[in-house]
Amino acid sequence: LSPIVELNVGGEMYTTTLSTLKKHPGSKLAEMFTGQPKLRTDSEGRFFIDRPGTYFKYILEYLRSNQVPTQCIQDVYKEALFYDIEPLIKQLEDSPQIFGELVARKQFLARVPNYSENIELMIRIARAEAVASRRSSVIVCVVKTEEDAARCQDALNSLDMDKKSVVKFGPWKAAPSISDLLDCIRMDVEAKGYKISFQPHIAEKGFRFKSHDFFYKFLFTWW
């Protein structure tokens, strides 16, 4: 291989040295250029990597000068994981953005039973109700404690609606509150590209409990 390497990363062109690409021998990026490269080339003979080229400049800058990026942290972290550049991964994981997501929020959500499955269930219900409508809504029951879970079940039995369409979150054993979980639900649904808002769900009169203690209406807006 020539000591000067031309790259086409997802349509973005880069020129660097072979030693820069192989700076961390155990990384996937170094392995790409060790021995006989297994990478394809484009019409101009540049090595082609089918990854987002926008963020490769941050990877390259780190390899050149050990400069940890301060922009696009989440996206650069994904690329660092793909290229398996361990020192960069560790330094990014110490950043507030990644630390907060991995150590705080993700660890909390791991203690909420079936969280990811319930997010997908909410989306399926909302899409099923979206026919010829601008908006569709999903009723969510959120309970933090086992006691509240029992009260919520009693409340569900009093609701005049299809109980299968109510998505239940909780209980969980962690410090974050119900409002924290509601924010997480909104964030994760929005991250999938949906426009969503929520508000307390006020049930019909004669309801045995304050419905807003448990029930929230998530509103999906389609157009």
Side-chain angles (χ1 to χ4, degrees):
L1 281 178
S2 166
I4 306 300
V5 181
E6 292 189 343
L7 301 172
N8 177 345
V9 185
E12 299 281 342
M13 310 308 165
Y14 295 94
T15 302
T16 186
T17 65
L18 188 60
S19 60
T20 295
L21 296 171
K22 297 172 66 175
K23 184 174 181 179
H24 297 284
S27 69
K28 182 177 179 180
L29 184 61
E31 290 176 358
M32 289 179 180
F33 296 93
T34 299
Q36 185 65 32
K38 300 178 177 60
L39 293 172
R40 292 171 290 175
T41 56
D42 65 10
S43 59
E44 300 295 325
R46 293 172 291 227
F47 290 109
F48 179 73
I49 302 176
D50 194 13
R51 294 294 295 179
T54 305
Y55 310 116
F56 189 74
K57 64 182 179 183
Y58 299 109
I59 300 292
L60 204 53
E61 188 60 34
Y62 176 77
L63 295 175
R64 287 169 172 161
S65 61
N66 290 323
Q67 181 176 327
V68 179
T70 58
Q71 303 178 53
C72 309
I73 300 296
Q74 298 280 358
D75 294 302
V76 176
Y77 179 67
K78 293 177 184 177
E79 298 309 297
L81 288 172
F82 173 78
Y83 294 114
D84 194 21
I85 303 172
E86 192 65 31
L88 178 57
I89 292 170
K90 289 181 178 178
Q91 290 183 69
L92 289 174
E93 286 179 348
D94 284 337
S95 69
Q97 298 95 322
I98 303 298
F99 179 87
E101 177 69 13
L102 295 181
V103 177
R105 200 176 84 93
K106 289 296 186 185
Q107 289 296 319
F108 158 53
L109 295 178
R111 302 184 184 191
V112 180
N114 303 314
Y115 177 80
S116 297
E117 294 84 348
N118 284 339
I119 292 290
E120 296 300 328
L121 177 58
M122 285 179 62
I123 292 171
R124 288 200 301 272
I125 293 172
R127 291 174 69 93
E129 295 182 359
V131 178
S133 300
R134 184 173 186 181
R135 298 180 181 87
S136 56
S137 61
V138 179
I139 304 301
V140 167
C141 174
V142 183
V143 292
K144 183 173 181 179
T145 67
E146 294 287 352
E147 179 182 2
D148 283 346
R151 295 177 64 203
C152 177
Q153 189 58 50
D154 289 342
L156 273 174
N157 294 334
S158 304
L159 277 179
D160 184 21
M161 65 171 61
D162 182 2
K163 298 174 182 58
K164 292 182 180 179
S165 67
V166 178
V167 182
K168 178 173 172 277
F169 287 86
W172 64 87
K173 294 180 180 179
S177 65
I178 286 177
S179 64
D180 294 324
L181 181 66
L182 292 169
D183 284 337
C184 287
I185 295 171
R186 176 185 53 76
M187 291 167 58
D188 289 329
V189 173
E190 286 180 341
K192 295 178 179 292
Y194 295 92
K195 186 177 180 181
I196 190 174
S197 61
F198 67 88
Q199 62 189 37
H201 175 61
I202 307 302
E204 300 78 5
K205 59 183 180 179
F207 194 62
R208 291 172 54 193
F209 304 106
K210 292 180 180 178
S211 58
H212 58 265
D213 285 346
F214 307 114
F215 296 98
Y216 298 84
K217 178 185 290 186
F218 278 79
L219 191 65
F220 287 73
T221 301
W222 302 103
W223 51 274

